[in-house]
Amino acid sequence: MKTALTIAGSDSSGGAGIQADIKTMTAHGVYAMSAVTALTAQNTTGVKGIFEVPPTFLADQLDCVFTDIPPDAVKIGMVSNKELIETIAEKLSEYGAKNIVLDPVMVATSGASLSSESAVTALKERLLPNCTVVTPNLFEAEILSGLKIRSKIDMEQASQAILGAYGCAVLLKGGHSENDADDLLYQQSGPTWFHAGRIETKNTHGTGCTLSSAICSNLAKGFDLNTSVKKAKRYITGALEANLDLGIGSGPLNLAFAIEGNF
Ligand SMILES: Nc1ncnc2c1ncn2[C@@H]1O[C@H](COP(=O)(O)OP(=O)(O)OP(=O)(O)O)[C@@H](O)[C@H]1O
Ligand SMILES: Cc1ncc(CO)c(N)n1
């Protein structure tokens, strides 16, 4: 069985973070492991609190995983401070981790901040240069590229700038655009668009976590990046369309809408 590791925060409401990652990896038929960076007290209406783990304890979790069951792919999600980011960079390099998907989580769907300014700088310097693909939303891509994004041409320019600066492929997500939910994959070989019509729903809690975990699962299974993104886009669209309606705010997706092979 192929294996994947998520390094991310816990979401007590189960729709984002570690919980979304493990559900997604399991639905893909991949064995899921986790290294928790923080606990959040959170639900569909917002984030009530964040409790970060000490960097040494994150290092212990990573040592335990890599010395026993080395993952075929790694997904990095919420990492709220510089010290935790440095710990991850050091451990991934020490163990020669491959197939790294970086979701540069900065703000929750509900609008709450999940990162600090020094964390963003550390993310750029320490994690971006070593990841296989980074998956920013429009807001995160503006921060990473320093460019304003208002059109599809802007999306291409911002992705090209991130690729040029950090050397990693970029999947720029269009979930927050005013038009269709089209995502752009920018690699050395050039741009590829992945189209999806916008689904009218308020239940989008954890879409970013889910998409990056689906890409990570597909990379673990040996698919190339293009195929991994194509399949992940089908999975996220199906999970949104399945229209689970839980909670009073922005509800979670149905991550178990299909089993492996059906997306
Ligand atoms: N309403 C929607 N209809 C169709 N696809 C969507 C919709 N909202 C988001 N998506 C898709 O979900 C994936 C995640 O994109 P999004 O831009 O929402 O990420 P994010 O902002 O990082 O997520 P999160 O809100 O979990 O932090 C992308 O493939 C995006 O196109
Ligand atoms: C723990 C966690 N990670 C990521 C997100 C982004 O959706 C969230 N809301 N919570």
Side-chain angles (χ1 to χ4, degrees), residues 6-9 17 21 37 75-80 88 101-105 123 127 209 212:
T6 167
I7 306 172
D21 299 341
T37 58
K75 173 246 157 100
I76 306 170
M78 171 187 169
V79 195
S80 49
I88 295 168
V101 182
L102 173 63
D103 184 10
V105 175
L123 196 85
L127 292 182
C209 303
S212 54

Side-chain angles (χ1 to χ4, degrees), residues 27-39:
H28 281 75
V30 168
Y31 180 78
M33 298 177 281
S34 62
V36 181
T37 58
L39 305 179

Side-chain angles (χ1 to χ4, degrees), residues 68-260:
D68 191 19
I69 311 177
D72 294 304
V74 177
K75 173 246 157 100
I76 306 170
M78 171 187 169
V79 195
S80 49
N81 73 48
K82 181 170 167 266
E83 291 73 24
L84 289 168
I85 289 171
E86 278 165 3
T87 301
I88 295 168
E90 278 157 26
K91 289 293 169 191
L92 293 185
S93 147
E94 179 181 337
Y95 292 111
K98 51 189 182 328
N99 295 325
I100 301 168
V101 182
L102 173 63
D103 184 10
V105 175
M106 295 177 195
V107 182
T109 311
S110 56
S113 177
L114 297 175
S115 181
S116 62
E117 217 172 292
S118 63
V120 174
T121 307
L123 196 85
K124 286 182 182 170
E125 289 172 0
R126 302 297 308 273
L127 292 182
L128 265 113
N130 299 309
C131 71
T132 308
V133 61
V134 63
T135 63
N137 63 22
L138 291 171
F139 164 76
E140 291 154 354
E142 286 188 345
I143 306 266
L144 295 178
S145 67
L147 300 170
K148 277 268 157 232
I149 304 176
R150 294 199 186 80
S151 65
K152 285 186 144 184
I153 304 280
D154 292 350
M155 283 174 77
E156 296 199 359
Q157 281 174 353
S159 303
Q160 195 178 23
I162 297 168
L163 171 70
Y166 305 102
C168 59
V170 181
L171 180 69
L172 177 35
K173 301 171 292 192
H176 298 274
S177 89
E178 279 163 15
N179 307 307
D180 285 338
D182 293 345
D183 301 341
L184 169 67
L185 177 64
Y186 213 107
Q187 297 175 270
Q188 289 296 358
S189 52
T192 312
W193 282 95
F194 295 86
H195 170 73
R198 176 158 303 281
I199 298 162
E200 287 312 325
T201 176
K202 69 175 174 47
N203 300 319
T204 57
H205 184 91
T207 47
C209 303
T210 303
L211 183 74
S212 54
S213 293
I215 297 169
C216 175
S217 303
N218 292 327
L219 289 173
K221 288 159 100 170
F223 293 110
D224 64 25
L225 183 57
N226 214 73
T227 310
S228 295
V229 171
K230 189 170 154 197
K231 290 167 90 63
K233 183 70 172 159
R234 274 210 300 267
Y235 178 73
I236 188 78
T237 305
L240 278 160
E241 276 170 354
N243 204 17
L244 187 65
D245 196 12
L246 295 176
I248 48 183
S250 176
L253 316 178
N254 185 350
L255 302 179
F257 77 97
I259 50 160
E260 192 194 356

